[in-house]
Amino acid sequence: MDSTERPRGPHLEWTVVPSGSTGIGDLLLAATPEGLVRVEFHAGPDRVDSMIGSLVSRLGADARRPAPGEEVLLAEPVRQLAAYFSGSLRRFELPLDWRLSSGFNRQVLQELDRSVPYGAVVGYGELAARVGQPGAAQAVGNAMGSNPLPVVVACHRVVENDGGIGGFGGGVETKRQLLALEGVLPRPLF
């Protein structure tokens, strides 16, 4: 579909935004009329087409990329992410479309979003206990790995119970950068 053509059926709007001076690279953002549906790391030109193709297939929607500054569904997510990366936003206030997550994964992600604020961390096991599933730390790790809304639903704030940083879908260095942005870890010297 031509990026200027308006979709007639179910649709999503997408764009690619920079992460400021964080060093984590560009992010793909996608939204439906229900809310932000996807945030994807490493949104270089070679990956964007496959990312959008996957979303279109999963959601059964047409995709449209508006010209920069002409976003409708993404105007507020773009603004809030820029504010977050500049250090002036500590809590996202966005409608979220949770269709890409379900069951236990959605429950864990919603608890994370609700109860772990900017600058704080939680252990995988503690988060499992918060959703009534003590002992499900590995399942919480899987939920974090399937998070369709990283950064906004801050899975980078979930760490190993013994103090280790743990894994991260965007890469461990990206997790370190996000935790440094929030003041949890020191900023790298170089």
Side-chain angles (χ1 to χ4, degrees), residues 122-125 158-167 175:
V122 65
Y124 293 96
V158 183
V159 298
E160 294 176 352
N161 292 339
D162 65 4
I165 195 167
K175 187 172 188 172

Side-chain angles (χ1 to χ4, degrees), residues 98 101-116 122-124 126-133 136-137 139-147 153-155 158:
W98 289 97
S101 183
S102 62
F104 179 79
N105 290 357
R106 183 186 294 185
Q107 180 185 12
V108 169
L109 291 168
Q110 289 176 331
E111 177 61 27
L112 169 67
D113 188 48
R114 186 173 34 254
S115 69
V116 183
V122 65
Y124 293 96
E126 183 182 340
L127 190 53
R130 287 184 186 183
V131 296
Q133 298 292 324
V140 167
N142 291 338
M144 296 305 105
S146 73
N147 182 5
V153 177
C155 54
V158 183

Side-chain angles (χ1 to χ4, degrees), residues 70-123:
E70 294 183 17
E71 296 89 355
V72 175
L73 302 175
L74 286 170
E76 192 59 16
V78 166
R79 187 193 71 73
Q80 287 190 31
L81 275 160
Y84 171 79
F85 288 125
S86 75
S88 64
L89 180 89
R90 293 181 170 237
R91 172 97 180 126
F92 290 98
E93 297 291 339
L94 297 169
L96 302 176
D97 182 338
W98 289 97
R99 281 185 284 173
L100 298 178
S101 183
S102 62
F104 179 79
N105 290 357
R106 183 186 294 185
Q107 180 185 12
V108 169
L109 291 168
Q110 289 176 331
E111 177 61 27
L112 169 67
D113 188 48
R114 186 173 34 254
S115 69
V116 183
Y118 183 98
V121 294
V122 65

